[in-house]
Amino acid sequence: MTNSQPTPAPTDAERRLALLWDPPQPSGRGRKARLTLDEVVDAGTAVVHEAGLDGLSMRKVAAHLGVGAMTLYTYVPGRTELVDLMVDRAFAELDLPRAEQPWRTAMTRYAHEHRGLYLRHPWILQTNMWRLPLAPHVLDAEEAGLRILVAAGLPATQVVEVIGLVDTYVRGVARATVAEQSEGSESGLSNDDYWDSMSTFWTTYFDAERYPTMTRVWEAGGFDAGHASFDATLDRLLDGIELAIDRAAA
Amino acid sequence: MTNSQPTPAPTDAERRLALLWDPPQPSGRGRKARLTLDEVVDAGTAVVHEAGLDGLSMRKVAAHLGVGAMTLYTYVPGRTELVDLMVDRAFAELDLPRAEQPWRTAMTRYAHEHRGLYLRHPWILQTNMWRLPLAPHVLDAEEAGLRILVAAGLPATQVVEVIGLVDTYVRGVARATVAEQSEGSESGLSNDDYWDSMSTFWTTYFDAERYPTMTRVWEAGGFDAGHASFDATLDRLLDGIELAIDRAAA
DNA sequence: ACCATTCCGGTACAACGTACGAGAGGTGGG
DNA sequence: CCCACCTCTCGTACGTTGTACCGGAATGGT
C-alpha cells in the first residue's frame, strides 16, 4: 500500500537502516532542533536502566528530556528504531580484541567483553528480536569474532557457527547471572515475599520422588557453584574449538 | 503492603505456583463453569500460533472461546500466568530420553527434542522471562537432562552448568533458525520488501573495508551452510563434555 | 517580506491488562 | 420449596501504551 510512486519512496526498513548507518545530517533549513539524536538515545538508555525494557515508553523518554512525547518522532521513526539505536550504542562500548594475539587469548577477551556488556545492559537480552539489529557496532563485534577464528585457521564454513556458539554461550550465562541477581525484584515482588513463596514451593509442591536427580544434585551443592565457573566452561568450549581447528589443519 | 493478616493470604507468587502444580478442583458449589483451564490454555496456544506472543491478548483468547474478556480471569490470574501455563503445556510435549541409553545417545535425543519444541513453539523464545517458569514439565525436562549427565559420571558440581550449556546452545540454534524462516514476515513487512531493503543495505551501506573478514567468509559461503550442521556442532559440544567426564573419572 | 521547510507537541484513537461490581446460574440447609 | 450463599460471567471503565494527524512556531534562502 502507498508504495506506487515513481520516485522510490524509502521503505520502513530503509529508513531504519539509514538512521543506523547515516549521520542525521542537520540540513540547514527550517527550525533548529532542540535535541540531538544522541541525546534521545542517551535518554532512552537512561530510562531503560531504571525501568527495564518494558518500562521504556516514548512518553517517559520524552519526559526525561523535558519535551513532548511526539517530539521524539522527529528524531526516530518509532520505538523499535530507538531500541535498535540503543543496542548499537551499547555495542559501541565493546573493547574488541585485535587478532594479533593468540586466538585463545583473543577469544577469551571477546567473551569477557560481551559478558560485561550484557551485565551492564541486561535489557539487551530482553529485546525480543530474533537477531540483533543490523547495526554498525554490532557488525564490528561479529567481524572481530570472525577474524579471530579465521586467523586461528578455522575454515570459513565453520567460522560462523562457532562464533554463534560462543555468543550463545555468553548470552546464556549472562542471562542466568541476571536472573539470579534480580530474582523477585521484578513485578513489584519484594525479595522477602519471593523467597517465602520459594520455600513454600520447595516444602509444598516439590516432589523429591519425581525429581530424584535434581534433589541429589541440589544436596551435593550443584546449584550453588553456578557462575564462578564462567571461565572454566569457556575453556572447555575453546578446547572443542581447538579440536576443530586442529582437525581442519590436518 | 496489605500483608498483615493473621490468616496468611495467598501471595501472588503462591497463586501462580498453585495453578501450575494443583488441579483446579471444581469445588461443587456455585455456578457451573463453562470452560476448563485446559480449554483456556489451548485457546491461548492457538492464538499465539497465529499472532505470536505480542499478539496474544486476553481479548483475543476470550474471543477465540466465544466468551467475554473478563471471564478468563476466573481461570487465570492474569496474562503472565496464562503464558506460564502455556509454557508448561508445551514442555509436556517433550518425549524425554530415559537414562538407560548411552549418555551421548540420550543427550543427542534431549537436544533434538528441545530443538523440535522450540521450532514448533517459537513464541517460547519470545517469553522475556529470565528463566523458564517453575512448572512441572519444565522441571521434568531439567530432571531428565541432569539424570543423563549424572548417569554418565559427571560430578554434581558441573552437571548444572553443562546442562545449561546444552540448553543454551539449542535455544541459540533454534532462535537462529526461526529468524531465518520468518525474516521479514514480522511487523507487516512483505518478504519482497525485506529482501529489497536487504540488497539496498549490502550495496549502499555495507563497507567491505570495514568488514573484510565478513566479506571473505561470505564469499566462501560461510553464511550459507548454517543449520544443517546442528548435529556436527552438537557433537563438538558433546566432545567437550566427554572430556570433562573422563577428567572427572581419573 | 515572503515562503518553503523543518521542528514542536496537543489532541485523539485503537489496543492493551485488568479492577470493580452487578447480574446470572448453581448448591445446600431449613 | 425456598432462600441464602457461592461461583462464574462479563459490561463498563481506568490507566497506559504506540503513534497518526495537524496546526502552529521557528528558521534560512530568496
Side-chain angles (χ1 to χ4, degrees):
Chain A
M1 358 277 187
T2 77
N3 249 358
S4 42
Q5 295 117 359
T7 326
T11 323
D12 287 346
E14 276 166 7
R15 307 219 306 114
R16 194 158 158 179
L17 288 169
L19 197 60
L20 281 164
W21 293 87
D22 267 344
Q25 51 166 350
S27 82
R29 300 282 284 253
R31 187 174 173 173
K32 290 291 187 196
R34 297 178 51 179
L35 269 38
T36 333
L37 180 57
D38 277 351
E39 286 177 295
V40 173
V41 177
D42 279 343
T45 309
V47 169
V48 91
H49 260 98
E50 60 196 35
L53 191 65
D54 294 338
L56 178 79
S57 73
M58 300 304 265
R59 284 167 168 83
K60 270 186 214 145
V61 175
H64 199 273
L65 289 164
V67 138
M70 293 313 294
T71 301
L72 297 183
Y73 288 85
T74 310
Y75 301 88
V76 150
R79 202 193 103 115
T80 317
E81 290 77 4
L82 174 57
V83 174
D84 282 356
L85 288 164
M86 287 165 52
V87 170
D88 187 56
R89 172 184 303 328
F91 267 77
E93 293 176 10
L94 288 177
D95 185 12
L96 295 167
R98 316 215 115 272
E100 285 81 29
Q101 324 169 44
W103 74 268
R104 284 189 77 120
T105 315
M107 208 64 212
T108 305
R109 164 87 165 281
Y110 175 92
H112 274 99
E113 278 294 318
H114 273 78
R115 186 173 74 133
L117 177 69
Y118 290 128
L119 293 186
R120 272 195 313 277
H121 302 286
W123 54 270
I124 298 180
L125 298 170
Q126 298 207 18
T127 61
N128 260 341
M129 295 166 290
W130 290 113
R131 46 183 56 169
L132 289 170
L134 215 55
H137 294 102
V138 174
L139 288 195
D140 279 342
E142 185 157 7
E143 167 75 16
L146 292 176
R147 179 160 45 182
I148 295 168
L149 291 177
V150 167
L154 195 68
T157 52
Q158 294 179 41
V159 149
V160 174
E161 53 168 321
V162 168
I163 199 64
L165 180 57
V166 173
D167 284 344
T168 274
Y169 167 65
V170 171
R171 268 198 288 270
V173 172
R175 178 173 284 269
T177 307
V178 173
E180 203 166 340
Q181 285 171 359
S182 63
E183 263 310 11
S185 75
E186 338 254 324
S187 67
L189 198 58
S190 97
N191 265 15
D192 282 352
D193 284 353
Y194 176 77
W195 286 113
D196 279 1
S197 58
M198 270 303 100
S199 67
T200 301
F201 169 74
W202 293 117
T203 60
T204 313
Y205 298 118
F206 185 83
D207 178 0
E209 289 191 17
R210 182 169 181 177
Y211 307 113
T213 316
M214 276 191 65
T215 308
R216 225 173 340 140
V217 170
W218 166 268
E219 284 163 357
F223 288 92
D224 305 337
H227 317 292
S229 48
F230 176 74
D231 289 300
T233 309
L234 179 60
D235 266 336
R236 217 162 298 154
L237 217 58
L238 296 187
D239 287 343
I241 296 173
E242 185 155 10
L243 207 139
I245 292 174
D246 293 345
R247 212 179 287 157
Chain B
M1 357 278 184
T2 77
N3 248 358
S4 40
Q5 296 116 1
T7 325
T11 324
D12 287 346
E14 276 164 8
R15 310 217 308 112
R16 194 159 159 179
L17 288 170
L19 198 60
L20 282 163
W21 294 87
D22 266 343
Q25 50 167 349
S27 82
R29 298 285 286 253
R31 186 175 176 173
K32 289 291 188 198
R34 297 178 53 179
L35 268 36
T36 334
L37 180 57
D38 278 350
E39 286 177 295
V40 173
V41 176
D42 280 343
T45 309
V47 169
V48 91
H49 261 97
E50 58 196 38
L53 191 64
D54 294 338
L56 178 79
S57 73
M58 299 304 264
R59 285 167 168 84
K60 270 187 215 148
V61 176
H64 198 274
L65 289 164
V67 298
M70 292 313 293
T71 302
L72 297 183
Y73 287 85
T74 310
Y75 300 88
V76 150
R79 201 193 105 115
T80 317
E81 290 78 4
L82 174 58
V83 174
D84 282 356
L85 288 164
M86 288 164 52
V87 170
D88 187 57
R89 178 193 281 339
F91 268 77
E93 293 176 10
L94 288 176
D95 186 13
L96 295 167
R98 314 216 115 272
E100 284 80 30
Q101 324 168 43
W103 73 267
R104 284 189 78 120
T105 316
M107 209 64 213
T108 305
R109 163 88 166 281
Y110 176 93
H112 275 99
E113 277 294 317
H114 273 79
R115 187 174 72 134
L117 177 69
Y118 290 128
L119 294 186
R120 271 193 315 277
H121 301 286
W123 56 270
I124 298 180
L125 298 170
Q126 297 204 346
T127 60
N128 260 341
M129 294 165 292
W130 290 114
R131 48 182 55 167
L132 289 169
L134 215 56
H137 295 103
V138 174
L139 288 196
D140 280 341
E142 184 157 9
E143 166 75 17
L146 292 176
R147 179 160 45 183
I148 294 169
L149 292 176
V150 167
L154 195 69
T157 51
Q158 295 179 41
V159 150
V160 174
E161 52 167 325
V162 168
I163 199 63
L165 179 57
V166 173
D167 285 344
T168 273
Y169 167 64
V170 171
R171 269 197 287 270
V173 173
R175 177 172 285 266
T177 307
V178 173
E180 204 167 339
Q181 285 171 358
S182 62
E183 265 308 12
S185 74
E186 337 254 325
S187 67
L189 198 59
S190 98
N191 265 15
D192 283 353
D193 283 354
Y194 176 76
W195 285 112
D196 279 359
S197 58
M198 269 305 99
S199 68
T200 300
F201 169 74
W202 291 117
T203 61
T204 313
Y205 298 117
F206 185 82
D207 180 1
E209 288 191 18
R210 181 170 181 177
Y211 308 113
T213 316
M214 276 190 65
T215 308
R216 227 176 337 142
V217 170
W218 167 268
E219 284 163 356
F223 287 93
D224 305 335
H227 316 292
S229 47
F230 176 73
D231 290 300
T233 309
L234 179 60
D235 266 335
R236 216 162 299 155
L237 214 59
L238 296 187
D239 286 344
I241 297 174
E242 186 155 8
L243 207 139
I245 293 175
D246 293 345
R247 211 178 289 157

